[in-house]
Amino acid sequence: MSAAKKFDAIIIGCGQAGPPLAGRLTAAGQTVALIERKLVGGTCVNTGCKPTKTMVASAYAAHLARTGADYGVSTGKVSVDMKAVKARKDKVTLDSRASLEDWIAGMKGCTLYRGHASFEGPHEVRVGDDLLHGERIFINVGGRANIPDMPGIGDIEYLTNTSMMEVDCLPRHLVVVGGSYIGLEFAQMYRRFGSDVTVVEKGPRLISREDEEVSEAVKGILEHEGIKLRLNAECISFAAHPDGVTVGVDCTSGDRAVTGSHVLLAIGRKPNTDDLGLDKAGVHTDKRGYIEVDDHLRTNVPHIWAMGDCNGKGAFTHTAYNDFEIVAANLLDNDKRKVTDRIEAYALYIDPPLGRAGMTEAAARKSGRKVLVGQRPMTRVGRAVEKGETLQRAMHIHPTVSELLPTIAQELKPLA
Ligand SMILES: Cc1cc2nc3c(=O)[nH]c(=O)nc-3n(C[C@H](O)[C@H](O)[C@H](O)COP(=O)(O)OP(=O)(O)OC[C@H]3O[C@@H](n4cnc5c(N)ncnc54)[C@H](O)[C@@H]3O)c2cc1C
């Protein structure tokens, strides 16, 4: 058996935290093995933020064209070419992936391994025929769509955010199961492309993490565009139907089921930790499979860290990137940055979008703090302009135009 190849660092997963960390470590003179089993760039670049926001932009253009008359602009009959929408999305995604691949290829000291990685010991990781030894190991394996074992799920064809990326036709009637961030973006997007859309949500309201009035406002926006909502759907089940799929919704009231041509499951995410051999390294996870980490993202095994969606501390590109910043600051800059310093921030890219920074009102009240509450409906605000003294260290929501600001701030240097 051949000896393990030795590296200063092994990074498993080439998502949002792995590549920038490889950049910092190699710049500091370390050797790095970066391992990716599928597509460089991970979820965000290939099946998440980037493609979906590109498609949201196409949907927005269709919406503006249809509502042009409200602005005094006349257009003819509006049609959407789904093959062209997909081609545009594919190009944006491929360009982004290619530029990331180029960057990694040019990183002196970094070796990219393609294949599934799993631990064989606390310092050993196997990728196919290669056994690697890392002084330090960083896990950045992300997550995938959660597919709960619901009645009938094995009897039907369903879509997830990943397979949705291959769809190049217009579903006649898209049933979206899950009324949260991912589901609602797809729901509005496909409604604007021209599909009938029904959202099926188990709970009594959409995006239940938000304050009630926020859920109510989002419900109003979606209903106004003709999206049907089935809330309190306590009897979700599936059955094949000659026209597509029948989704059981309610057991007691209203229409008991809805039949759609396509079903999209958007019922949360699951960490990619079940096939990583974590037990061989002695790394602990919680009951849901998220890797347990401390405030500096170190696992219970001192030379192993976990960053991004797989540690359960965030579920966004900007939180994964912020994880990289925290790890790099602690290891390379002697700067004790920590996860609990960051303020929660994210956006829901329906139109108009929802942006959130900090706690909800409900969470603030529950925390026992004395809170002041102010509300201003967007109908009365032109644009909110924000100015922060801690600009560079604030975590900027992805994707937004303003995320270029901290990058520029970091690059500022005195004139030579
Ligand atoms: C539809 C959708 C829309 C989204 N939109 C947004 C948005 O607008 N803004 C936002 O901030 N976030 C968004 N997100 C979330 C965002 O995509 C994730 O939070 C982000 O990609 C997490 O980055 P990560 O580095 O943790 O993992 P990932 O990007 O998932 O990368 C993990 C990588 O590890 C690889 N991998 C896994 N296991 C192994 C293994 N054993 N061996 C080798 N490689 C492995 C995977 O193939 C993958 O490439 C969206 C997500 C979805 C699904």
Side-chain angles (χ1 to χ4, degrees):
M1 210 163 117
S2 59
K5 294 175 191 161
K6 289 193 185 301
F7 290 90
D8 294 321
I10 294 174
I11 301 175
I12 306 176
C14 195
Q16 295 303 306
L21 184 64
R24 281 295 313 269
L25 292 173
T26 51
Q30 301 192 20
T31 54
V32 174
L34 180 59
I35 312 169
E36 173 53 51
R37 71 177 174 189
K38 218 171 166 198
L39 298 172
V40 165
T43 308
C44 181
V45 168
N46 299 290
T47 59
C49 342
K50 205 151 263 281
T52 55
K53 268 80 252 184
T54 307
M55 291 169 76
V56 162
S58 292
Y60 179 66
H63 178 70
L64 269 191
R66 273 197 208 100
T67 54
D70 298 348
Y71 300 83
V73 179
S74 299
T75 54
K77 188 173 176 313
V78 175
S79 65
V80 178
D81 177 348
M82 289 306 291
K83 288 196 168 33
V85 168
K86 178 174 180 294
R88 179 174 182 273
K89 179 269 295 176
D90 286 345
K91 180 169 180 346
V92 170
T93 301
L94 285 173
D95 286 353
S96 174
R97 193 162 76 226
S99 108
L100 189 54
E101 280 176 345
D102 283 352
W103 183 44
I104 292 167
M107 248 178 229
K108 203 163 165 278
C110 178
T111 309
L112 178 64
Y113 286 86
R114 293 189 183 264
H116 173 80
S118 63
F119 282 93
E120 295 217 336
H123 284 277
E124 284 75 39
V125 173
R126 176 165 293 284
V127 198
D129 291 339
D130 292 305
L131 185 61
L132 314 178
H133 175 104
E135 282 307 309
R136 289 172 171 156
I137 300 180
F138 304 90
I139 306 172
N140 178 220
V141 291
R144 60 184 186 272
N146 182 32
I147 312 293
D149 188 17
M150 295 174 289
I153 192 77
D155 305 332
I156 59 148
E157 280 185 28
Y158 56 81
L159 293 158
T160 65
N161 69 290
T162 302
S163 47
M164 219 45 201
M165 295 300 114
E166 299 311 315
V167 174
D168 65 355
C169 62
L170 186 68
R172 184 179 46 73
H173 183 174
L174 179 67
V175 180
V176 179
V177 182
S180 202
Y181 309 88
I182 292 173
L184 297 188
E185 288 181 6
F186 276 112
Q188 190 189 47
M189 178 198 306
Y190 272 87
R191 180 66 190 141
R192 289 178 169 194
F193 290 147
S195 299
D196 284 338
V197 174
T198 304
V199 175
V200 175
E201 164 56 46
K202 187 162 69 123
R205 62 189 173 96
L206 301 173
I207 43 171
S208 56
R209 280 174 55 179
E210 304 299 333
D211 287 323
E212 279 186 36
E213 62 268 31
V214 174
S215 296
E216 201 50 39
V218 167
K219 178 170 177 272
I221 290 164
L222 299 180
E223 284 181 331
H224 181 69
E225 294 196 22
I227 294 170
K228 302 219 167 43
L229 303 176
R230 296 296 308 265
L231 304 177
N232 294 303
E234 284 170 346
C235 265
I236 299 177
S237 63
F238 303 92
H241 184 280
D243 292 337
V245 177
T246 296
V247 182
V249 178
D250 210 305
C251 306
T252 50
S253 60
D255 289 342
R256 303 287 161 93
V258 50
T259 297
S261 57
H262 296 72
V263 171
L264 166 66
L265 299 184
I267 329 178
R269 309 277 299 165
K270 207 175 162 168
N272 290 326
T273 54
D274 39 358
D275 53 3
L276 203 49
L278 288 173
D279 51 326
K280 296 198 179 131
V283 173
H284 294 167
T285 61
D286 68 12
K287 275 189 269 178
R288 295 163 65 213
Y290 289 100
I291 298 173
E292 290 174 354
V293 287
D294 67 13
D295 217 7
H296 302 293
L297 301 166
R298 203 186 276 253
T299 69
N300 61 301
V301 180
H303 67 272
I304 302 180
W305 287 255
M307 306 176 293
D309 284 12
C310 67
N311 65 24
K313 301 275 181 201
F316 298 96
T317 285
H318 47 271
T319 47
Y321 189 82
N322 188 239
D323 282 1
F324 141 67
E325 293 182 315
I326 291 167
V327 170
N330 279 276
L331 291 181
L332 300 167
D333 305 333
N334 196 24
D335 181 352
K336 304 284 168 220
R337 289 179 71 170
K338 50 189 197 306
V339 182
T340 43
D341 283 343
R342 80 181 169 214
I343 295 171
E344 191 175 21
Y346 56 78
L348 164 63
Y349 289 86
I350 56 163
D351 170 39
L354 165 69
R356 185 149 86 75
M359 293 180 181
T360 60
E361 183 186 327
R365 285 183 192 279
K366 205 171 154 199
S367 73
R369 290 173 169 84
K370 279 189 178 168
V371 289
L372 298 173
V373 179
Q375 286 189 354
R376 185 108 177 147
M378 286 305 284
T379 45
R380 294 182 56 203
V381 180
R383 194 163 183 86
V385 180
E386 214 175 74
K387 187 180 174 216
E389 295 295 285
T390 54
L391 183 65
Q392 184 177 326
R393 288 217 163 176
M395 184 180 60
H396 287 252
I397 297 173
H398 175 80
T400 50
V401 173
S402 61
E403 55 183 336
L404 67 89
L405 293 176
T407 318
I408 291 174
Q410 276 164 21
E411 285 173 3
L412 290 177
K413 294 189 180 61
L415 279 175

